[in-house]
Amino acid sequence: MAMSDFRRNKLIYVFKAFFDVDNSGAIDQQDFRLAAERICRVHGWSVNEGKGAQVLQRLLDVWEALKRADSDNDGSVDQKEWCAMWEAYAKGETDYQEWQDKYRDFYFSIMDTSGEGTIELDEFAAVNRRNDVSDNDCSEAFKLMSKDNSVVVNSSTFAQLWNEFFTSDDPSSSGNYIYGKLQF
């Protein structure tokens, strides 16, 4: 079965909102450096030391694993390569598992700013709020993904939600809300 427009829209959203930081239409190492700077700004960290330097290193590690998706070897991952990689993931192929695990764990860690091993609404909103995702969107998305706060969003739960986001064609899946966006 071919990838649905719904899932493709989710994947392209993540590609554009979180990875193609310079809006070039492709992801490369510089995008990861810019993303680290943006994350550090949100949290008030310096990218040159402490937690900020860790963020930069983790993102560069993610890039090192992700660049295997660069099927035409041009030094970047375009939208077609990005979607092909996630389609392979949805089919159970493990070629890109390393980068996906690193990115998932990294994303969880930047939301879990308290270090308690769970994500709370305020932490979730601080990372996911952007021009197209409001505080109200984040609140509603968190409510939907945590099943009205009846599910604690720990790393195990987040891994399940993550898998749903990247593999599900079902618009009602709880995992669709991990980035705070309500519609794709």
Side-chain angles (χ1 to χ4, degrees), residues 17-122:
F18 294 94
F19 288 97
D20 186 16
V21 179
D22 64 4
N23 298 311
S24 67
I27 304 167
D28 60 21
Q29 186 179 48
Q30 182 60 22
D31 286 302
F32 282 82
R33 290 183 182 283
L34 293 170
E37 291 171 8
R38 183 169 62 187
I39 290 165
C40 288
R41 256 193 321 275
V42 166
H43 291 292
W45 304 326
S46 166
V47 76
N48 298 317
E49 60 188 29
K51 185 92 172 174
Q54 292 172 7
V55 165
L56 175 60
Q57 187 56 57
R58 286 186 78 180
L59 279 175
L60 292 176
D61 290 347
V62 169
W63 167 247
E64 286 302 313
L66 170 62
K67 70 181 183 182
R68 291 187 3 216
D70 177 16
S71 60
D72 62 6
N73 296 311
D74 68 352
S76 65
V77 175
D78 62 27
Q79 289 182 12
K80 183 178 176 184
E81 291 165 323
W82 173 261
C83 288
M85 176 200 58
W86 285 110
E87 183 63 6
Y89 174 78
K91 290 178 179 176
E93 296 175 25
T94 59
D95 292 348
Y96 307 106
Q97 193 67 47
E98 177 188 7
W99 105 262
Q100 292 158 348
D101 290 347
K102 284 182 179 198
Y103 176 54
R104 180 198 62 225
D105 294 346
F106 168 75
Y107 201 71
F108 180 85
S109 75
I110 63 168
M111 285 193 286
D112 179 23
T113 55
S114 68
E116 296 173 347
T118 61
I119 302 169
E120 303 296 330
L121 172 58
D122 60 330

Side-chain angles (χ1 to χ4, degrees), residues 126-160:
V127 171
N128 289 302
R129 183 182 321 117
R130 55 187 24 83
N131 292 340
D132 63 339
V133 178
S134 69
D135 282 329
N136 287 338
D137 292 341
C138 286
S139 181
E140 183 64 22
F142 191 82
K143 182 178 174 182
L144 291 166
M145 90 177 186
S146 67
K147 300 185 188 312
D148 209 8
N149 295 313
S150 67
V151 174
V152 174
V153 184
N154 58 26
S155 62
S156 175
T157 302
F158 189 75
Q160 293 168 350

